[in-house]
């Protein structure tokens, strides 16, 4: 599991920030992952488990736009998607 630095996130804010759509390019090190039943239609829980932070669910949607047309309802058990590895995710997040 990949963990991001805790100081990256400000948990004291009670509002959403402006939407910043980020490109998530394909890399040779992407990992093919089969969505587990426990994460059926719960990309937030999968992001928490895989990346350590639930608000990174959008990374799945941006990296797999051809598979996850709807980022929640298409996030179904048995669906194969690609995951970013640690360095690629850091690059997308600008770390």
């Amino acid at each position: 599991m990949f963990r991001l630095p805790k100081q990256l996130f400000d948990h004291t804010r009670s509002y959403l920030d402006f939407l910043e759509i980020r490109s998530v390019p394909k890399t040779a090190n992407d990992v093919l992952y089969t969505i587990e039943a426990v994460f059926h239609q719960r990309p937030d829980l999968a992001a928490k488990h895989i990346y350590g932070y639930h608000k990174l669910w959008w990374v799945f949607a941006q990296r797999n736009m051809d598979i996850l047309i709807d980022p929640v309802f298409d996030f179904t058990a048995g669906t194969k998607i690609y995951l970013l590895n640690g360095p690629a995710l850091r690059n997308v997040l600008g770390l």
Side-chain angles (χ1 to χ4, degrees):
M1 178 176 11
F2 174 72
R3 293 280 183 199
L4 292 171
K6 289 185 184 247
Q7 67 271 19
L8 175 65
F9 308 107
D10 180 2
H11 297 286
T12 62
R13 294 189 326 188
S14 61
Y15 58 90
L16 294 175
D17 207 345
F18 291 103
L19 175 62
E20 179 184 338
I21 297 176
R22 300 177 188 188
S23 173
V24 179
K26 298 176 184 180
T27 71
N29 297 321
D30 290 348
V31 177
L32 185 61
Y33 171 75
T34 303
I35 299 171
E36 301 170 59
V38 69
F39 301 130
H40 179 77
Q41 295 185 343
R42 292 302 306 267
D44 58 329
L45 296 181
K48 173 70 174 167
H49 178 74
I50 295 167
Y51 296 130
Y53 192 59
H54 68 283
K55 290 187 178 181
L56 291 177
W57 64 268
W58 60 268
V59 174
F60 304 134
Q62 288 297 106
R63 170 56 185 87
N64 298 280
M65 292 177 78
D66 55 334
I67 300 166
L68 302 174
I69 307 304
D70 182 300
V72 175
F73 294 112
D74 290 339
F75 201 88
T76 56
T79 301
K80 294 184 185 306
I81 61 171
Y82 287 95
L83 304 178
L84 296 179
N85 66 8
L89 180 60
R90 280 192 176 96
N91 187 44
V92 166
L93 296 176
L95 299 176

